[in-house]
Amino acid sequence: MVSSSFKAGFVSIVGKPNVGKSSLMNKLMGENLSIISAKAQTTRHRIMGILNGDDFQIVYSDTPGILEPKYSLHEAMMSYVKVSMEDADAILLVVALEDTYEQELFERFQKIKTPILLVINKIDLGKGTQVADKVAYWKSSLPNIREIVTVSAKTGEHVQDLFPKLLSLMPNHPPYFPQDEFTDRTERFFASEIIREKIFLNYDQEIPYSAEVSVQAFKEDENIIRISAVIYVERDSQKGILIGKGGSSLKKVGMDARKDMEAFFGKKIFLETHVKVADNWRKEKLKLRHFGYLE
């Protein structure tokens, strides 16, 4: 029986690409649920992290970075942001220390009735009075913000200050998810995201943005998980770059991914990867549906 004082609600983590939203969610959760890369637009889906306690459940949503859509994949990504904000009991609007107010991006937050906490991230890079100056700057730029919190998602500094503030904004409500769950995503999804993260870390330019990973088989035995995955790219030339000379580049991606998967799943991993071409998949709705971006 859940107590009537139990609190449960949704917190949406939003902001531009590359401001540290995924790092922040991972720190809030104490789990690496979202992939992290120095490259922008790493997150493509809405990923929920479910933080459970004896008398609370906070459901964090890591969302794609807000951008002006250029093709169908971007449109799907922005629809995740929109739905996430509509569901939210509180919004964490994340900006990096060097960011400035951009009217087109930020004016939508002036009209939202949901409580918004502005999180200024990357304070570990601040010098002198820079952090205090930025707090004053954002107070005048976004006067409807409930509160401003300064953090470093990289080092963890002040991240713990967010929890009590968010808990106070959660309504009295029974848990939305079973209390032994920590995400709404499947093991297959995390396997594909770990491979995709390694592509972001091992390749430059267009390759990471043109690549999509589909886990074709995920077979778990007592001591080992056997995973077969296909990496899709948009052109034959990208396929050659991804595989590398004598398969060396793809082999490194597989080795790096397997190591992280073994830590994540707590079992030995046998990983098999193949590369295929799916022409212009980011622009074609049928292919986006196949990859799980559209209903």
Side-chain angles (χ1 to χ4, degrees):
M1 183 75 180
V2 175
S3 157
S4 59
S5 62
F6 194 94
K7 287 180 164 243
F10 293 84
V11 175
S12 186
I13 304 172
V14 300
K16 289 195 310 182
N18 220 23
V19 293
K21 298 181 298 299
S22 297
S23 299
L24 181 62
M25 169 146 123
N26 288 343
K27 275 286 190 298
L28 287 164
M29 284 295 300
E31 297 268 1
N32 286 339
L33 295 180
S34 290
I35 71 174
I36 299 166
S37 158
K39 297 181 176 74
Q41 297 172 42
T42 315
T43 302
R44 287 180 183 162
H45 294 268
R46 176 188 183 181
I47 300 169
M48 288 187 188
I50 305 162
L51 188 67
N52 291 293
D54 292 338
D55 54 1
F56 71 86
Q57 182 179 82
I58 296 180
V59 184
Y60 293 107
S61 286
D62 183 19
T63 61
I66 298 169
L67 46 76
E68 203 52 54
K70 289 182 181 161
Y71 37 77
S72 298
L73 173 62
H74 283 168
E75 287 166 13
M77 286 160 60
M78 291 310 94
S79 73
Y80 295 141
V81 178
K82 184 172 181 287
V83 169
S84 169
M85 290 209 291
E86 286 167 356
D87 287 350
D89 296 292
I91 292 170
L92 291 180
L93 174 56
V94 185
V95 296
L97 186 63
E98 69 274 11
D99 284 346
T100 53
Y101 182 83
E102 296 166 49
Q103 188 166 349
E104 267 185 51
L105 176 69
F106 289 103
E107 68 180 350
R108 72 193 78 190
F109 295 101
Q110 305 278 23
K111 302 164 190 158
I112 291 171
K113 299 285 186 277
T114 307
I116 300 173
L117 272 63
L118 183 82
V119 180
I120 302 175
N121 188 24
K122 306 188 183 182
I123 60 168
D124 51 301
L125 304 176
K127 293 182 173 66
T129 62
Q130 193 179 4
V131 175
D133 293 346
K134 277 292 182 176
V135 170
Y137 170 82
W138 283 107
K139 267 184 185 161
S140 62
S141 301
L142 285 171
N144 68 319
I145 294 295
R146 177 174 287 249
E147 196 170 346
I148 296 176
V149 183
T150 60
V151 306
S152 168
K154 185 178 179 181
T155 66
E157 188 180 357
H158 297 171
V159 171
Q160 73 280 0
D161 297 346
L162 285 167
F163 174 75
K165 297 176 194 300
L166 292 170
L167 191 59
S168 71
L169 296 171
M170 296 299 104
N172 290 111
H173 196 283
Y176 289 94
F177 296 91
Q179 285 178 271
D180 57 350
E181 286 188 13
F182 69 97
T183 182
D184 63 326
R185 293 289 180 171
T186 64
E187 291 178 319
R188 278 179 183 244
F189 174 81
F190 286 109
S192 69
E193 285 288 273
I194 288 168
I195 296 167
R196 204 164 64 81
E197 179 183 51
K198 301 312 165 198
I199 295 168
F200 265 89
L201 295 173
N202 279 285
Y203 299 89
D204 289 325
Q205 294 162 340
E206 190 62 12
I207 297 292
Y209 301 103
S210 301
E212 179 60 36
V213 180
S214 175
V215 170
Q216 308 287 301
F218 188 103
K219 188 169 185 292
E220 188 166 1
D221 294 325
E222 194 177 344
N223 299 314
I224 193 167
I225 302 172
R226 299 175 195 279
I227 298 169
S228 177
V230 175
I231 302 168
Y232 290 93
V233 288
E234 293 188 306
R235 295 190 298 277
D236 274 320
S237 58
Q238 294 167 343
K239 180 179 176 180
I241 295 167
L242 193 73
I243 293 169
K245 192 176 180 183
S248 58
S249 301
L250 184 61
K251 187 178 178 185
K252 183 170 188 311
V253 166
M255 285 169 59
D256 292 351
R258 196 183 74 242
K259 187 178 168 191
D260 275 17
M261 284 182 198
E262 288 181 343
F264 188 83
F265 294 116
K267 278 191 179 181
K268 278 200 77 64
I269 301 288
F270 174 79
L271 176 62
E272 182 181 62
T273 53
H274 305 278
V275 183
K276 292 183 179 177
V277 176
D279 294 329
N280 285 326
W281 68 265
R282 289 182 290 176
K283 296 176 183 173
E284 293 184 16
K285 295 205 165 152
L286 194 65
K287 286 171 183 167
L288 286 169
R289 189 168 285 114
H290 172 74
F291 291 136
Y293 289 100
L294 300 172
E295 293 297 324

